[in-house]
Every structure is written in structure tokens, then in C-alpha cells.
Amino acid sequence: MEVGVVGKANVGKSTTFNALTLMDVPVAPYPFTTLKANRGVGAVRAPCPHVGKGIPCQPGNAKCVDGTRWVPVSLIDVPGLVPGAHEGKGLGHEFLDELRGASGFLQVADGAGATAPDGVPATPGAFDPAEEVAWLDQELVEWIAEILSRDFAKHSKSIELIGGPVEDLLQARLTGLTISPAQIATALRETPVDRGHPARWTVEERRQLAAALLRVSKPRWVAWNKCDRTTPEKLTELAERIAPVPSTPTSAEAEFTLRRAQKAGLVRYTPGASTFEIVDPDRLSAAQLRALEEIRHILATWGSTGVQNALERLVFDGLHQIVVFPVEDEHRWTDSKGRVLPDAHLIPAGMAVRAFAYRIHTELGENFLKAIDARTNRALAAEHPLEAGAVVRVVTKR
Ligand SMILES: Nc1nc2c(ncn2[C@@H]2O[C@H](COP(=O)(O)OP(=O)(O)OP(=O)(O)O)[C@@H](O)[C@H]2O)c(=O)[nH]1
Ligand SMILES: [Mg+2]
């Protein structure tokens, strides 16, 4: 699963991306610093079942720190969007197509309102950050409407001619956009279009359908970034104004500084935490100590830098993902090599166990007999929905 880090130019997308991935893509105080999409891997936290079991785990894909698994999530950082991006303004819409594979969007916005629509820096409060949210929505709608509309007349006429379902037409038009058949069906239900005659759909009707598709298939979470330059009262008011779009205050700069300092062994810090400790003040310059004191103040004001939290809220609440742990031995919770709880998988909440078996390996799905809940040792039927934290063994016919 991939999350797109999107938003206006110069708001802190790459800083957020760097903080979450510990990569070092260029960051600078002017628009269009990022010219090409950057891909990297962040992580979301889940309790490791080894704690309850009382044995240490041997993670393969998701490291375990003090009983918390860090489950990988792919991230993509794109160039800043400017108004009219879907028409090719700014860096155009080529890179919007890079977002086709994204299941959801973390929108970074300048919560301090100190960035103009074209990304040029201004004084805090000069611009209304809520406008960034409505505007991005429009850009994304236009982008999807444009994809939907490519050669639409030709394709819609041919589907009317053969009398095929309109879902097939949409499916073919939206290939690669990570929109499921169920989501297409829901979007169609929510849009008052004549299903029998797609060739007659107007531009406005296609736009409405694109808006429904976006709403249904691409959850969004707003990170009110640069919170260190504004107040909790102002961001609470902003959050209320953009509701029901959910949001979280963030300071990407503080998070990136802390993670780098942690990696360098200068501080003890866990992403998402409300505090950190300086390992040895004598190893730090006066400027470094001052910068860390400023970050301490940000943590005291906001509870955390918010960055880890924003990603997790998008993944768990927005995208309804859960973490489950497949094992091959339901008693010892090991794989075939004897490693305890080697893997942690991020899957949609309620996914059926057989679908999960397919997700691990096609063969496992094809030969599915039953699954065993390793926590209770109960057998689970093929359609049994998986819950967060499940430790599960798939039993095959042969
Ligand atoms: N005060 C403050 N500044 C920040 C924060 N996050 C990023 N910045 C600064 O904002 C500027 C832009 O950051 P980038 O990460 O390059 O922003 P971007 O959205 O990727 O920019 P483009 O790639 O040009 O669209 C840089 O000067 C960052 O140091 C933050 O949390 N607080
Ligand atoms: Mg950037």
C-alpha cells in the first residue's frame, strides 16, 4: 500500500517525507524544490503479539522496538501542486499520474498560512490554510475527471452498443488508479447519472462522478504543518472549518531533526513520543542545544510533533488498515524456519482469511482449507473476517 504526500508547493511535503523515511531528499524555503517524485518507506506502529506470548520475536519485515512493531508503508513525495496543475500549470499533471498507485493522501498544508498559492513564502497569517484543502480537492477531482474522460465518447458509445455494464467502462478507464470494483459501484450509486447511457453524460456529470470516486476511494488526512509558527487555538478552529476532512497539527521540521539526532546517537527519541532525552549535553554545540530546547517547547505545546500520528491516523482510521501476523505453527507462532512472528502484514480491516491467504501467496489461497486463530486455537472458515492483531495460521489441503 502506498500513501501519497501531496499539497501546495513549499509547505513541507519533502520534510515530512524525510522525517517519515529518514531519507534526505532536498528541502528548501522556495517552491519547486522537488522536481520529480521521491519514493521511500515509512512505518506505522502496532503492538507486537510477542509481549502477551512471553517470548521474543524475530521480525523479518517489520522491526520490533520495546514491544511495538514498525510496519512498513510505502510513501511517495511529489512536486508541489499549484492552482491549475491539472491543466498543466506549474510542473503540470504528469507527476499527478505518479499518484495513481496511492491508496490515500497525506495532504501537507501550511497551517501557519505563511505560503502563497504559488508556494512563495509570506508572513504567518497572510493566507487562509483552509483554502488549500478545498483547492487540492478540486485539483484531484479534475485530474480523475480528465483520466475518466480520455476518449470517453468512443468508449461509452461502444459499451452502449454491446450493452455491457457501465462498471466495465469505468473499470477500464480507471485502470491503475487503485480504485476497486466495489468503490466504483459505490461512487456510481452516489452520483445521479443515467447508467444506461454513459455516452450522454455531460462534462459536469463526469466531474461529479470523479468527485464521488475520489471521496470513496482516496481517503485524505491533512497535516497542518509548521504548527510551530501558529497556536493550538488557531489550528483547532481550522480543523473545525475543514471538517469532515480530518486533520492533525504537525511540525515536520522538528520530527526530522529529532529522528536524525536519534540516528546519530545524540538523543533518545521514539517517533510519536511527547519527550526526548539528550544523551550527552557536552557533545552538543550551543546552537544544537538551543534548537533542541525549541523542539522541547513544540512537544510541550502540541503533545508530539504529530508527523507519525498523522500517517497512522490516515492508515488506520482513513484507510481502515489493520496489522495481522501470519505464522505456520499455531502453537509456537513460528514460520517454517522456526522464527517467532516473522511477518507483520497491513491489510484492510475485516479482510476474509482466504483473501489474506491469497495476499500472502497465490498457492496458499488456492489450496486454502481453513485457518487457525493462534491466540484461541479455534478454526476459522474461509470468509471469517480478520481483526487487528490477529495471529493466524493458514492450513492448506496439501
Ligand atoms: N517552521 C517550519 N518550517 C518547516 C516545517 N517543515 C518544513 N519547513 C520548511 O519549509 C520549507 C519547505 O520545505 P519542503 O519540505 O522543501 O517543502 P515541499 O512542500 O516539499 O516543497 P516543494 O517540493 O518545493 O513543493 C523549508 O524551508 C523547510 O525547512 C515545519 O514544520 N516548521
Ligand atoms: Mg518537496
Side-chain angles (χ1 to χ4, degrees), residues 269-298:
Y269 171 67
T270 309
S274 56
T275 54
F276 64 90
E277 276 171 53
I278 294 173
V279 172
D280 179 2
D282 295 339
R283 276 173 62 199
L284 298 174
S285 67
Q288 283 175 316
L289 283 170
R290 240 188 345 266
L292 287 174
E293 277 325 301
E294 273 171 32
I295 293 177
R296 218 184 271 292
H297 178 69
I298 295 171

Side-chain angles (χ1 to χ4, degrees), residues 13-14 26 33-34 77-78:
K13 297 179 297 298
S14 297
T33 305
T34 307
D77 166 43
V78 291

Side-chain angles (χ1 to χ4, degrees), residues 68-329:
T68 297
R69 289 295 272 264
W70 291 78
V71 187
V73 174
S74 300
L75 297 172
I76 171 162
D77 166 43
V78 291
L81 284 161
V82 297
H86 69 276
E87 295 165 343
K89 298 231 171 84
L91 292 176
H93 56 71
E94 278 153 49
F95 71 84
L96 269 175
D97 278 342
E98 300 260 17
L99 293 169
R100 278 174 172 261
S103 300
F105 298 125
L106 183 62
Q107 177 180 4
V108 181
D110 180 348
T115 310
D118 57 4
V120 172
T123 48
F127 294 92
D128 179 4
E131 282 177 10
E132 281 178 45
V133 176
W135 157 78
L136 182 78
D137 201 45
Q138 280 170 22
E139 287 294 333
L140 295 175
V141 167
E142 294 296 341
W143 168 55
I144 292 183
E146 209 264 321
I147 293 172
L148 189 66
S149 299
R150 278 175 211 165
D151 293 330
F152 194 78
K154 188 174 91 192
H155 295 290
S156 54
K157 271 186 205 131
S158 75
I159 202 117
E160 280 191 27
L161 214 62
I162 58 168
V166 67
E167 282 84 353
D168 287 0
L169 167 72
L170 297 182
Q171 200 95 63
R173 299 291 81 222
L174 301 168
T175 303
L177 266 174
T178 336
I179 304 180
S180 70
Q183 290 166 336
I184 289 179
T186 308
L188 265 172
R189 263 199 311 278
E190 291 184 4
T191 316
V193 287
D194 180 354
R195 300 171 57 104
H197 298 100
R200 292 185 205 159
W201 292 354
T202 62
V203 171
E204 186 44 39
E205 282 176 328
R206 291 203 295 264
R207 195 176 285 134
Q208 279 179 25
L209 184 59
L213 285 162
L214 185 71
R215 198 169 51 240
V216 166
S217 71
K218 308 281 177 191
R220 187 156 49 128
W221 206 278
V222 174
W224 295 123
N225 195 36
K226 312 197 185 185
C227 69
D228 47 283
R229 302 182 75 192
T230 182
T231 62
E233 294 72 30
K234 283 190 183 155
L235 286 192
T236 304
E237 192 208 310
L238 268 176
E240 283 166 7
R241 280 177 54 215
I242 65 154
V245 179
S247 59
T248 304
T250 62
S251 177
E253 204 163 67
E255 180 69 16
F256 187 45
T257 305
L258 283 176
R259 289 207 195 190
R260 262 202 316 206
Q262 151 80 22
K263 198 174 174 203
L266 302 176
V267 302
R268 273 184 284 274
Y269 171 67
T270 309
S274 56
T275 54
F276 64 90
E277 276 171 53
I278 294 173
V279 172
D280 179 2
D282 295 339
R283 276 173 62 199
L284 298 174
S285 67
Q288 283 175 316
L289 283 170
R290 240 188 345 266
L292 287 174
E293 277 325 301
E294 273 171 32
I295 293 177
R296 218 184 271 292
H297 178 69
I298 295 171
L299 294 182
T301 308
W302 299 93
S304 76
T305 71
V307 176
Q308 183 63 32
N309 199 21
L311 176 66
E312 287 171 357
R313 295 282 60 81
L314 172 65
V315 169
F316 294 131
D317 300 348
L319 286 156
H320 303 294
Q321 299 285 301
I322 56 171
V323 178
V324 298
F325 302 84
V327 293
E328 290 182 41
D329 181 321

